[in-house]
Amino acid sequence: MKRSKWLIYLGLAMIFLTVAVYLIHYAIFRDAHHIFIYLIGDIAFVFFEVFLVTIIIHELLQLREKQTLMEKLNMVIGAFFSEVGSDLLRLFSQLDPQARELNEKLLVRDDWSGKVFDQLRQELKGYGYAIQLEEESLPALKEILLAKREFLLRLLENPNILEHDKFTNLLQAVFHLTEELAARRDLSHLTPGDRDHIVIDIKRVYHSLTMEWLIYMKYLKASYPFLFSFSLRTNPFNPEATAELP
């Protein structure tokens, strides 16, 4: 409220000073014609100045700021996959009875274009992401998620993450799965309802992880070839992947 009053007073002061200067000009030169010529010209230029500064320059600055933000965000996404995302994809692939079909599609190659990545993402939206839950695999999943719980919390606290809705949703889904598993003391004797609920949570994470992994691989291919090369050699959808070069 105080700031609004201050702006009003400042605006009135500027108008008063403008009128005062024009009156002084008229009192000295007695040339209203000259005053109005320049006044109308200055007013006409204001519209172009608003267009130039507010629209063009502002949009360019926003675009640059967005690009910088996305660079920082992709660094965070890379850290996520290095810390926990790739391990989860490997584990989920082992629980997927149709994993062979998915793995064959996701054997990313060095000659893929951005269009190939986009087409594959559209195709995989219809994939079932089936999960055949094995109770002996749940302790391993729980161990992975609990070990990275603090890391996930720090990611959720990062304000830049809010600019990426899909990745934010992925983090929330992973954290929810973590909480569900942590809340159950004995994962070896689940009720049918518990099993079905956890399968739904895993499928949600599985789907989002796969989509975000493809987006991230496309970004690495375009921006960081050396990181892309390493990601190809450690592809979580390739059972024979190895970081060692032949």
Side-chain angles (χ1 to χ4, degrees), residues 6 8 10 30 51 62 69 82 167 172 210 218 244:
W6 179 81
I8 292 173
L10 178 63
R30 299 289 177 175
F51 171 75
Q62 274 197 329
L69 178 62
S82 295
F167 187 65
Q172 290 175 335
T210 303
K218 177 185 174 182
E244 287 81 7

Side-chain angles (χ1 to χ4, degrees), residues 167-184:
F167 187 65
T168 301
N169 293 337
L170 168 59
L171 284 180
Q172 290 175 335
V174 172
F175 195 77
H176 174 71
L177 178 59
T178 305
E179 294 296 288
E180 289 283 358
L181 294 177
R184 288 163 174 79

Side-chain angles (χ1 to χ4, degrees), residues 16-36:
F16 173 78
L17 290 173
T18 300
V19 173
V21 171
Y22 276 123
L23 289 175
I24 293 171
H25 184 283
Y26 180 75
I28 297 174
F29 300 103
R30 299 289 177 175
D31 190 353
H33 180 265
H34 180 272
I35 292 175
F36 282 107

Side-chain angles (χ1 to χ4, degrees), residues 216-236:
Y216 181 62
M217 290 294 288
K218 177 185 174 182
Y219 165 76
L220 292 183
K221 174 70 166 59
S223 304
Y224 295 99
F226 63 97
L227 292 178
F228 179 70
S229 173
F230 178 77
S231 297
L232 285 182
R233 287 180 277 119
T234 57
N235 186 335

